[in-house]
Each structure stands twice: as C-alpha cells, then as structure tokens.
Amino acid sequence: MKKVLIITYYWPPCGGVAVQRWLKISKYLSLFEWLPTVITTENGDYPFLDDTLNNEISPDLKVIRTKTPTFKNIFKALTGKNESLPYGSLKASKEDSIIKKILFFIRSQMVIPDARVIWNKNALKAAEKAIFSGLYEAVITTGPPHSTHLVGLELKKKYKLTWIADFRDPWTNIYYYQSFKRNFLIKSIDRYLEKKVISQADSIVTVSEQIANLLAPGKALVIPNSFDPDDYINFRYEKSDKFRIKFIGSLTSSRKAEVYQTIRWLDHLASENRMCIEFSVIGNQTPFEKEIDPAHIFLKNIGFIQHKKVIEECVNCELLLLVINQTTSNEGILTYKLFEYLGSQTKIIGIGPVNGDAAKILDMANAGKMFDYHNQTDFSDFVKTIYKSWEENNLLRNKQELIQFSAPYIASLFSQALSSSVKKK
C-alpha cells in the first residue's frame, strides 16, 4: 500500500460543501492501493459546523490536526463579539462595524493570498513531522484556500516529493475577486504565486474543463466532484401535498438576485396556473422573507442543517434549483452541490450559462435543464412539465446510472493520477 499525504484546511467538524470532496475521496482511496493521511486544522475559520460529519471519516484514515490563528478570534479579541465572518467573500456590508470593516480591508488589501495563510506554518511543521516518520510517496494540497498550495510548494522544494495541487475553484479568477478591487501589488503577487504553484506541481487537478483552461491549458487534469452512493441508501422519495422546489445553499450577494428572481417567476407561474408550489431555501443563515414576499407560493427559510438531513431534503422534493453565479468566466463553475443533487435522482432546474460545464453535465445525465438568467418562458414551461407528471403520480425522476460521478470512481481517477505522477519522477 502506497502512502499519500493530503493537506486540507477544511475538514470535519467543518460543515458545508468545502469538506466534501476530500472527505469522500479519502474514504475510498485505500481501495486503489493508496493509504491517505490527512493534515488539517483543529480550530479553523469554518463557515458552518457539522459534528455528524466526523462519523463519515474512514476509520482507517489517520488525521493529524493542528491549531491555527483565525480572523474570527482576532475579531473577537478586538470587539468581544463571537461573530461569524463571511465565507467566500472579500466584502463587508454597510451594517458591519468599523473594526470589522478594517479587518476586511486588511484581509483584501494586505493579506496574500488569503486569510488562511496564517495556518501554513503549523501545517508545514506537521507535514514535515509526518514525512520524517513515514514513507510518503506523494502529497496532495487542495484549495480554496489556495494558500494551502504554498505548503505543497515548500514541501516540493525541500523534499522533492511528488506533489498534486487540486483546485476546487479558480485562484485569481475566482468570482468574488471580480466584485472587489484588490490593489495592483496584491494582485500581481497573487498571480505570481499562482503561476509558481502551477509550474512547480507535478500535476494540476481541477473540477471542470473551463477552470482547467484558465489555470493551465494542456497541463491541468479534470477530475470532477462526486456524490457518495452510501449517503442515499436510507432515503426514499415520498410525495407531499405541495410541489416542492428547493434551493440548497446560502443567499450570498453573488446569487441572491437569481434566487429572488426565481421566486418571482414561480409566484407568477402559480398565479397563472393555480399551482400549489412550495419553495425552500436550505442553508441560508439570515432572514430574507421581508425582502421578498410572494403571494401565490409557500416560502420556507430553513437554516443550516446537518449533511444527512441535506441529502434527505434533496431526495424528498420534486425539483432542485441550481444557481451558477452570474459573473465572467462562470462556464466552468461546477459546485459540489450539483453532484449531491445528481445522487438524489431528483430533477434539477438550473439558472446559469447554457453552454457551461454544469449545463453539459445536466444534458449528458438527462438530469435536468439549465436556463439563461432571463429565460422565464422556457424555465416556466419546464416547471409545468415536471408539475404535470407529479399531479399524475408519475413524477419524472432521474433513473440513469451515474457511476462516473460516484465517489469510488473519482477516487480511482485520483489513484491513477497519483500513480502516473510518481512514475514520471
């Protein structure tokens, strides 16, 4: 059995989608002759907490946890408030305190490449200790946070280990960089670090063709996200007296407008056709009902829930809403949520680029349809089709086998990438 060191900032009890890719891949990697060890944080800046995910860690997996300074603790020390800081954003809101705005300014204009870089010293120390105590043939770093790749860069330089850099999202082309102006020097250093990681890593892996072309045309290997078949074993679809459409994710500024527009479209559709529609937002942390108050559909705001409950919610509905951020270079955005949607067999209705990678997967899997941000007519017609099948007790669900997006298969692809990279040495 060959050994691989996986360095990831996000790991249970961190909740949300950030942990899922490597939580699931590590579960199955040993089936393909690679025994992983995970180096992660003990007390990181996590967007959510989900202690139940600790039960999904493979029992034969060695996990090394290290402490890290956090912006959350710095904020608490300065203000005395135990307040969460936004995840996946560089922007403060008008309602934020002066201290919080100052911290955001420091984060966006002085910290390179991201706030999680303050973990790197501890991560590197733990990685070196692991390397000295055992024979590891390869190292995998995964980002965001992309600062984690700098640990891989240092390990590569010092120990000549085979190194794979896994990009779950772009680096300098990530969507929230486009909505907030970083200064020229910070952006230049960011691009320099990105190019250095890409040039020095033995392999670059990412989740979509479009991101591969942005990062390293001709070099980056595409290994998409996945769903774990085990997650769905205990859940079966049950019909309700309402036609349930669910959006799973937070209403961040990058997608709020599209979700609100969808609610308005559905409200108009229900009014025109006397349809009994219930729309749920699952995972949102703040009230939004006062901002939009539909008259003809039922609106539910469900906060963050444990992962198993998320899977149950995905299975028990008639449509799942997928929203791709309306930003430049968004054709390559493939959220982990898309794959958990696929595993549920519930039909998916998407708002986003109709020629993007997500749209291609929906078409290939016959799992649903992507519609342009302004195409209300075709969007509504698709909803009516699914609604009619539901009324007739013949609900359209996706029965196609999707082995190529299952976690065991994705783990096998990473095993091949590891073996290939080691052989090149």
Side-chain angles (χ1 to χ4, degrees):
M1 189 81 75
K2 294 165 285 188
K3 296 171 70 176
V4 57
L5 199 60
I6 299 168
I7 305 176
T8 175
Y9 186 94
Y10 296 117
W11 191 256
C14 176
V17 297
V19 303
Q20 293 299 325
R21 180 167 170 88
W22 281 99
L23 177 62
K24 298 305 185 183
I25 291 172
S26 65
K27 175 181 174 181
Y28 294 103
L29 204 54
S30 61
L31 297 177
F32 306 98
E33 302 303 315
W34 282 95
L35 185 64
T37 295
V38 171
I39 291 180
T40 188
T41 53
E42 181 179 303
N43 61 320
D45 268 323
Y46 302 145
F48 308 103
L49 289 175
D50 183 355
D51 289 325
T52 65
L53 289 178
N54 285 316
N55 300 326
E56 297 189 28
I57 299 172
S58 178
D60 62 349
L61 182 67
K62 183 178 180 181
V63 179
I64 301 169
R65 298 183 183 272
T66 71
K67 290 187 178 296
T68 177
T70 66
F71 260 59
K72 181 178 180 180
N73 287 341
I74 294 171
F75 180 77
K76 183 179 180 181
L78 291 173
T79 66
K81 297 179 180 178
N82 192 19
E83 186 176 347
S84 63
L85 297 174
Y87 166 77
S89 173
L90 298 177
K91 205 178 235 183
S93 67
K94 293 180 180 179
E95 296 77 23
D96 287 333
S97 67
I98 294 296
I99 292 177
K100 194 170 184 179
K101 288 178 180 178
I102 291 172
L103 277 178
F104 268 76
F105 178 82
I106 293 171
R107 157 69 181 93
S108 62
Q109 302 299 340
M110 300 180 186
V111 178
I112 307 170
D114 54 62
R116 312 302 190 246
V117 72
I118 54 180
W119 176 58
N120 282 16
K121 182 179 179 180
N122 291 346
L124 179 61
K125 184 177 180 180
E128 289 182 319
K129 185 176 180 181
I131 289 168
F132 293 149
S133 64
L135 182 61
Y136 288 91
E137 296 196 42
V139 173
I140 295 174
T141 56
T142 181
H146 294 308
S147 54
T148 303
H149 296 311
L150 302 182
V151 180
L153 187 65
E154 187 66 18
L155 292 173
K156 173 72 175 178
K157 177 182 175 182
K158 294 177 73 171
Y159 304 105
K160 311 300 181 186
L161 286 172
T162 298
W163 169 36
I164 294 179
D166 174 50
F167 288 78
R168 304 189 312 277
D169 283 311
W171 187 331
T172 56
N173 286 300
I174 200 163
Y175 66 90
Y176 53 79
Y177 268 39
Q178 300 168 28
S179 63
F180 194 82
K181 295 181 180 179
R182 304 190 87 187
N183 68 69
F184 176 78
L185 178 61
I186 290 284
K187 290 170 68 175
S188 298
I189 297 174
D190 243 357
R191 286 193 292 268
Y192 167 77
L193 292 174
E194 180 182 35
K195 289 178 181 178
K196 194 168 184 180
V197 165
I198 289 170
S199 65
Q200 294 299 312
D202 294 284
S203 294
I204 299 295
V205 175
T206 191
V207 298
S208 73
E209 294 288 350
Q210 295 287 343
I211 297 178
N213 291 332
L214 282 173
L215 287 171
K219 180 179 180 179
L221 174 66
V222 176
I223 301 181
N225 285 317
S226 63
F227 65 89
D228 187 353
D230 287 354
D231 287 344
Y232 303 85
I233 291 174
N234 296 322
F235 301 116
R236 295 289 181 272
Y237 168 77
E238 296 179 4
K239 188 175 179 179
S240 167
D241 58 348
K242 298 182 183 71
F243 183 83
R244 297 160 297 179
I245 304 175
K246 297 176 182 179
F247 169 76
I248 298 177
S250 296
L251 289 184
T252 60
S253 58
S254 60
R255 62 173 73 102
K256 182 185 286 189
E258 285 71 36
V259 174
Y260 284 6
Q261 175 181 262
T262 299
I263 292 172
R264 287 191 289 269
W265 286 358
L266 293 172
D267 197 48
H268 177 77
L269 182 65
S271 174
E272 292 288 310
N273 297 273
R274 296 190 177 185
M275 300 164 74
C276 184
I277 296 175
E278 177 184 273
F279 185 85
S280 298
V281 176
I282 300 170
N284 185 58
Q285 293 294 90
T286 56
F288 65 91
E289 293 86 347
K290 291 181 180 179
E291 296 181 45
I292 185 164
D293 186 21
H296 305 286
I297 67 172
F298 300 91
L299 187 61
K300 293 178 68 176
N301 181 17
I302 302 173
F304 178 79
I305 56 178
Q306 295 173 343
H307 183 250
K308 284 188 177 181
K309 186 64 178 175
V310 168
I311 298 300
E312 184 178 10
E313 294 282 356
C314 286
V315 171
N316 271 300
C317 63
E318 286 66 51
L319 270 177
L320 287 164
L321 175 66
L322 176 71
V323 175
I324 304 296
N325 301 334
Q326 193 171 356
T327 183
T328 58
S329 303
N330 63 351
E331 293 88 354
I333 294 178
L334 281 179
T335 65
Y336 197 90
K337 198 58 61 185
L338 165 61
F339 297 87
E340 291 193 325
Y341 280 8
L342 290 173
S344 72
Q345 298 186 326
T346 301
K347 286 290 184 181
I348 302 165
I349 187 164
I351 300 290
V354 295
N355 295 316
D357 290 335
K360 291 174 184 175
I361 287 177
L362 290 180
D363 288 342
M364 180 273 295
N366 191 31
K369 192 73 176 175
M370 184 73 70
F371 296 96
D372 182 77
Y373 298 98
H374 308 292
N375 191 354
Q376 180 177 358
T377 301
D378 290 345
F379 177 96
S380 298
D381 287 344
F382 185 83
V383 174
K384 285 193 286 187
T385 298
I386 306 298
Y387 190 94
K388 183 179 180 181
S389 72
W390 169 76
E391 276 191 315
E392 296 172 349
N393 293 314
N394 188 29
L395 180 66
L396 297 175
R397 293 185 71 82
N398 184 30
K399 300 296 184 181
Q400 186 171 331
E401 290 288 335
L402 297 172
I403 294 173
Q404 70 272 40
F405 298 128
S406 68
Y409 182 76
I410 296 303
S412 76
L413 295 183
F414 260 102
S415 171
Q416 293 171 28
L418 282 164
S419 297
S420 176
S421 296
V422 168
K423 284 180 182 178
K424 289 178 184 177
K425 298 284 287 184

